[in-house]
Amino acid sequence: MPLMAEIAPANFQQIEPGDSPESILEKAANVVPSARQLAYQQREFSGFIHFGPNTFTGREWGTGKEDPQVFNPTDLDTDQWCDTMARAGMKMVVITVKHHDGFVLWQSRYTQHGVMSSPLEEGNGDILRDLVKSCRAQGLKIGVYLSPADLYQMESPAGLYGNLSSYSERTIPKPVAGRPFADTRTFKVQADDYNEYFMSQLFELLTEYGPIHEVWFDGAHPKKKGGQTYIRDDWYSMIRELAPEAVIFGGPDVRWVGNESGDIRATEWSVIPMQAGAENIDRTAEDLGSRQRLYDKEYKALGEMYQPKRLAYTVAEVDTSIRHGWFFRDDTHQQVRSADDVFDIYERSVGGNGVLLLNIPPNTRGHFSKRDVDSLLEVGARIRETYGSNLLEGARAPAAVLDADDTSFWQTGDDQRSFEMVLGAAQLINRFMLQEAIATHGQRIEEHALDAWVSGQWQQVAQGTTVGYKKILRFPSITTDKLRLRITQSRLQATVMSVSAHYYRERPPPVSITRGGRGKVEIALVKHRFGWKPRKNLLKPAKKPPEMHIHYTTDGSDPTTNSPLYKAPFEYNGGTVKARAFWDESASALSVHTFGITKKHWKVVAVSSAQKGSWYKLGRDSRVASRALDNNPDTLWQTTAGDPLEQFLAIDLGKIQTLSAFVYTPPRGLSPGEGLIISGQLQLSDDGENWRDLEAFEFGNLVNDPSQRTHYFEKSVKTRYIKLVRTEAALGELTVGAAEIGFIP
Ligand code: FUL
């Protein structure tokens, strides 16, 4: 392909009507991150803090009607948070200064719904002030999550959200008698009451708490009101003026990776086609930036309005929580991710051209709980142990890829597509890291492969697609003294700025605990995504893997080598199974699974409605009520839209059972948000006809995180008949459903 006239690298490139596929590709290859995006991406790993009334009420999404008195951390210790995060290897912290409930964690002039009305320091507490101080001591940067959705401002009588006030010229910050600002800059905007409120609060955050490095705008909206609109362009301009180093998440700089489970695409392009403003892309789509996507005919066929106007640089941010849920709920049931799990997410996200934003929700004392701390400290130790040094140091290789200079790089040429690295001595290696010179040359590598010299010949040990800021290749351990990196496909000539090789000390893999079709519990080693076992005919493992044993318990205790040895699937009527794999002295992370009572003798006694007939994905009767009891999470029960007043499912458990919790598995495979039961009521009956209320339940944030949810009862109940009644469906949908309904004994 003939090269076109040089294009000056820029943060975005405009697509013009006369552009050809070649010229579009050339433009894409010359999109580079802005200085603030680059600095942000180089920080790699940040902590996320969800803290607020939800911490004390156990909700995922608040209502805005909480009494500020509930917010009562009894022993707030932001130093403990920051000390832990710094030791985990994080460089920045983002905190929910205002979540969807509208409660503010700082001393805002503009509302009383926040710390100023809470018991914390008798109304004088300020979580952001304390956190900023602790962050400084640890060298951590700080970011603020300010939710545009604000339930307090929607629900309270004088609330400003959607109050139908007119847009007129307003001055930001709105002056408040007796509370002047030291920073005397002001902004004139056309705004309504809520935008004026929101921007004035942003002004406080950006001018009174020191440099802010990320502003996080959540896209989620538990509710909407009054056709409220946002003057986003004005928010962004003010941020640029007041916090020039801050990246904007949910705005022009940083993009949601598209899930909350810690996953990143195997191919993660930073350069993606979009309209100006960046709001019009489907962030959950599998392919955002391949060549096909750049000059997609179908995309163009949608018409002028939908045509991508520019190729822009956006950093993918992987936000996930160390706990099940974003807020602290309890230290008994709420699951905490193991170090294995977090380290795996770290390697895939940071080593997959993304930034990892890991949430650690403080508990009601205002501390990180011990389990979270243990896991984080172990992750920090593994990061240092694995990535703290480079096994290629002193190797013979192009100097530019081994020096510490970010401006020097090796570049492919017409007949130069690979380079070798010759080590001084053979080394045990199972990780390889590479980086492109994105600051000057953008993201260009489309495919690459790594070879090792083993048994007198080159053997491919790993391959990948995109690289961008950083790629970590993981492969079974090999012993070698020679490596070769091949760039097998790229946009224009690609660059490699830096490479390193590492060894991750292998641990026994975690185990999975499942219940098979016949109701028996099966425990198995999880095959690591990065191939704990070498593929056949590829390479002999450098070391023979040691013998592995799995031990488990059903009495709640932590399994040791003295616990029952797992040999074969076993019968189990429900409860909690814990298991670990052991080799030599080391044990895998603890796996825990709680099973509901078996559903063998359950029957549907009544249902408000169910979708009949076949459904294209699953065939005949795939959405009838019994599908919620069939132990198959891929089938589902879904109501019709014909019973909007009362939607329910009543079940006969076959005999009287003792139940301690309700487990809801949301339907899969419907459109996003469809069929989700956000809140409901459980009822009991002795005869299947006369019902009395048991408890109400509520599951927040199901749309973004449609994972299995458990509602524990205040105390266990005995019953033969139980009924699930929908109170509210997600996004106001007319139908609800479930993939599975379960109860824990
Ligand atoms: C989502 C929110 O709805 C959750 O509550 C959480 O804050 C998460 C980070 O973003 O959109």
Side-chain angles (χ1 to χ4, degrees):
M1 184 185 80
L3 286 185
M4 309 194 22
E6 277 271 303
I7 294 179
N11 177 239
F12 69 87
Q13 302 281 353
Q14 206 71 24
I15 296 181
E16 309 294 346
D19 268 326
S20 63
E22 287 77 19
S23 62
I24 291 178
L25 198 69
E26 173 140 12
K27 285 181 174 175
N30 281 292
V31 175
V32 298
S34 64
R36 64 172 80 84
Q37 284 175 319
L38 184 65
Y40 161 79
Q41 197 149 13
Q42 285 166 340
R43 286 194 286 272
E44 298 189 347
F45 187 17
S46 309
F48 207 2
I49 303 280
H50 276 66
F51 196 37
N54 293 348
T55 310
F56 301 86
T57 59
R59 283 169 184 267
E60 269 300 294
W61 277 357
T63 61
K65 296 177 185 157
E66 290 82 8
D67 179 348
Q69 289 289 321
V70 302
F71 185 78
N72 187 17
T74 46
D75 184 23
L76 180 71
D77 189 353
T78 52
D79 283 345
Q80 186 242 8
W81 308 355
C82 289
D83 174 64
T84 310
M85 290 188 283
R87 286 161 71 191
M90 297 171 174
K91 300 282 186 296
M92 180 158 99
V93 184
V94 180
I95 181 167
T96 55
V97 290
K98 183 183 87 163
H99 200 249
H100 308 325
D101 56 20
F103 183 95
V104 300
L105 296 188
W106 80 100
Q107 292 287 340
S108 174
R109 294 164 178 75
Y110 301 99
T111 183
Q112 288 301 310
H113 191 65
V115 280
M116 61 293 278
S117 308
S118 80
L120 181 69
E121 294 178 39
E122 287 159 358
N124 294 310
D126 187 322
I127 307 281
L128 185 58
R129 175 198 63 203
D130 292 3
L131 181 59
V132 164
K133 197 159 156 259
S134 306
C135 279
R136 294 239 166 84
Q138 297 286 350
L140 296 167
K141 303 242 180 308
I142 184 114
V144 289
Y145 168 126
L146 189 70
S147 169
D150 187 321
L151 289 160
Y152 177 76
Q153 294 296 337
M154 280 183 218
E155 307 281 8
S156 56
L160 304 175
Y161 193 105
N163 69 353
L164 306 178
S165 55
S166 53
Y167 275 80
S168 55
E169 190 179 271
R170 318 258 176 145
T171 303
I172 307 297
K174 184 178 178 176
V176 174
R179 291 190 68 181
F181 284 92
D183 190 320
T184 53
R185 283 175 285 185
T186 56
F187 300 83
K188 292 241 181 289
V189 289
Q190 286 291 321
D192 62 355
D193 290 352
Y194 184 69
N195 279 288
E196 177 187 48
Y197 172 78
F198 191 80
M199 284 186 79
S200 296
Q201 291 198 324
L202 250 185
F203 188 94
E204 292 181 318
L205 295 168
L206 300 179
T207 60
E208 300 191 318
Y209 293 88
I212 298 290
H213 283 85
E214 182 167 0
V215 181
W216 219 92
F217 292 131
D218 201 310
H221 259 273
K223 265 193 186 171
K224 296 207 167 155
K225 188 182 164 192
Q228 179 69 53
T229 49
Y230 299 140
I231 47 171
R232 286 181 172 271
D233 288 344
D234 293 309
W235 304 354
Y236 300 164
S237 326
M238 190 177 80
I239 296 170
R240 293 295 195 232
E241 168 70 26
L242 298 176
E245 292 165 310
V247 286
I248 306 175
F249 173 95
D253 307 314
V254 182
R255 150 177 70 83
W256 182 44
V257 74
N259 66 81
E260 294 184 351
S261 47
D263 284 325
I264 190 161
R265 297 168 183 81
T267 302
E268 194 66 65
W269 286 104
S270 295
V271 181
I272 53 186
M274 60 175 68
Q275 289 181 293
E279 268 87 49
N280 297 315
I281 53 163
D282 172 6
R283 289 166 178 74
T284 62
E286 183 49 39
D287 176 7
L288 292 178
S290 70
R291 289 190 190 206
Q292 286 68 16
R293 204 77 192 101
L294 298 185
Y295 30 81
D296 210 330
K297 290 259 165 39
E298 266 172 55
Y299 196 46
K300 290 194 170 166
L302 286 172
E304 172 63 20
M305 202 186 132
Y306 294 100
Q307 283 192 25
K309 294 288 191 311
R310 49 164 71 182
L311 301 164
Y313 195 94
T314 61
V315 186
E317 188 181 82
V318 179
D319 63 322
T320 192
S321 183
I322 197 166
R323 287 192 167 233
H324 189 214
W326 291 98
F327 285 90
F328 174 86
R329 279 200 293 275
D330 59 59
D331 263 326
T332 41
H333 300 306
Q334 194 177 13
Q335 221 169 295
V336 179
R337 287 186 193 273
S338 66
D340 282 349
D341 202 7
V342 176
F343 187 75
D344 171 51
I345 295 173
Y346 168 86
E347 287 192 314
R348 283 186 294 111
S349 52
V350 172
N353 192 32
V355 165
L356 174 56
L357 179 63
L358 179 71
N359 180 63
I360 315 103
N363 58 27
T364 51
R365 282 174 66 209
H367 279 230
F368 286 176
S369 293
K370 183 172 181 313
R371 287 186 296 163
D372 312 50
V373 172
D374 289 349
S375 179
L376 288 169
L377 296 187
E378 174 64 18
V379 169
R382 289 189 196 184
I383 294 174
R384 285 189 297 277
E385 181 184 307
T386 312
Y387 293 103
S389 59
N390 180 2
L391 297 174
L392 294 180
E393 212 174 279
R396 204 148 34 77
V401 299
L402 288 183
D403 62 19
D405 182 354
D406 277 6
T407 61
S408 71
F409 50 84
W410 171 89
Q411 192 163 20
T412 59
D414 287 340
D415 34 47
Q416 169 172 290
R417 306 294 301 176
S418 69
F419 63 83
E420 293 181 16
M421 295 144 272
V422 184
L423 285 72
Q427 299 277 6
L428 193 59
I429 295 174
N430 56 18
R431 299 288 189 274
F432 186 83
M433 191 281 298
L434 66 153
Q435 296 186 286
E436 287 182 71
I438 50 166
T440 49
H441 290 66
Q443 188 184 8
R444 298 182 173 192
I445 298 176
E446 293 175 308
E447 275 171 27
H448 62 284
L450 180 73
D451 303 328
W453 187 260
V454 183
S455 317
Q457 55 176 309
W458 285 117
Q459 299 197 32
Q460 181 175 309
V461 293
Q463 68 186 84
T465 56
T466 45
V467 175
Y469 168 70
K470 184 179 269 191
K471 177 78 189 181
I472 294 176
L473 293 167
R474 309 191 289 189
F475 44 92
S477 301
I478 47 155
T479 303
T480 188
D481 60 359
K482 204 151 78 169
L483 293 166
R484 179 171 71 184
L485 180 66
R486 282 181 288 128
I487 307 302
T488 45
Q489 197 177 308
S490 66
R491 297 174 178 178
L492 315 187
Q493 302 297 7
T495 63
V496 178
M497 181 195 86
S498 172
V499 295
S500 56
H502 308 271
Y503 175 67
Y504 173 64
R505 189 163 52 81
E506 287 159 301
R507 279 103 177 145
V511 297
S512 64
I513 310 173
T514 51
R515 185 146 65 184
R518 293 212 186 88
K520 287 189 174 178
V521 171
E522 292 178 24
I523 310 181
L525 295 175
V526 173
K527 288 207 185 74
H528 272 204
R529 293 180 234 217
F530 46 96
W532 174 75
K533 279 193 177 148
R535 269 165 290 157
K536 273 207 195 97
N537 308 329
L538 174 69
L539 291 165
K540 284 211 201 75
K543 285 194 300 199
K544 193 168 173 289
E547 275 263 2
M548 220 146 359
H549 302 285
I550 297 173
H551 294 269
Y552 71 97
T553 62
T554 53
D555 62 2
S557 65
D558 198 351
T560 65
T561 44
N562 298 324
S563 311
L565 179 69
Y566 175 78
K567 292 191 199 112
F570 55 90
E571 296 282 354
Y572 191 54
N573 178 46
T576 299
V577 180
K578 296 186 175 179
R580 287 184 197 272
F582 292 84
W583 77 32
D584 304 337
E585 299 293 279
S586 39
S588 67
L590 180 67
S591 298
V592 182
H593 196 93
T594 301
F595 294 102
I597 52 177
T598 51
K599 304 183 196 174
K600 251 189 218 157
H601 306 294
W602 291 18
K603 275 194 208 82
V604 173
V605 284
V607 62
S608 58
S609 73
Q611 307 243 3
K612 300 250 166 54
S614 357
W615 187 40
Y616 72 106
K617 278 183 191 153
L618 295 166
R620 270 197 75 70
D621 286 340
S622 46
R623 286 179 287 175
V624 298
S626 58
R627 297 294 187 176
L629 321 178
D630 66 359
N631 282 317
N632 178 357
D634 291 327
T635 63
L636 59 135
W637 156 59
Q638 188 180 13
T639 65
T640 65
D643 56 355
L645 290 183
E646 216 204 2
Q647 294 178 318
F648 65 86
L649 173 62
I651 302 166
D652 174 0
L653 304 174
K655 62 174 187 209
I656 293 180
Q657 305 255 21
T658 309
L659 314 177
S660 68
F662 161 57
V663 185
Y664 174 63
T665 311
R668 294 178 192 166
L670 303 175
S671 4
E674 190 184 347
L676 302 174
I677 304 179
I678 292 227
S679 63
Q681 177 74 41
L682 291 164
Q683 298 179 342
L684 304 180
S685 164
D686 303 324
D687 54 9
E689 280 170 20
N690 302 297
W691 299 92
R692 57 185 186 278
D693 279 351
L694 167 62
E695 272 181 32
F697 64 87
E698 186 180 322
F699 304 126
N701 195 29
L702 266 182
V703 178
N704 292 325
D705 177 23
S707 59
Q708 186 178 76
R709 304 300 177 94
T710 307
H711 170 87
Y712 287 88
F713 303 142
E714 271 173 28
K715 54 182 195 320
S716 43
V717 293
K718 276 192 167 48
T719 189
R720 168 157 177 181
Y721 298 92
I722 191 152
K723 186 174 178 183
L724 162 65
V725 185
R726 179 278 285 145
T727 309
E728 201 188 334
L731 309 175
E733 289 272 343
L734 296 177
T735 70
V736 295
E740 284 299 307
I741 300 287
F743 296 97
I744 295 175

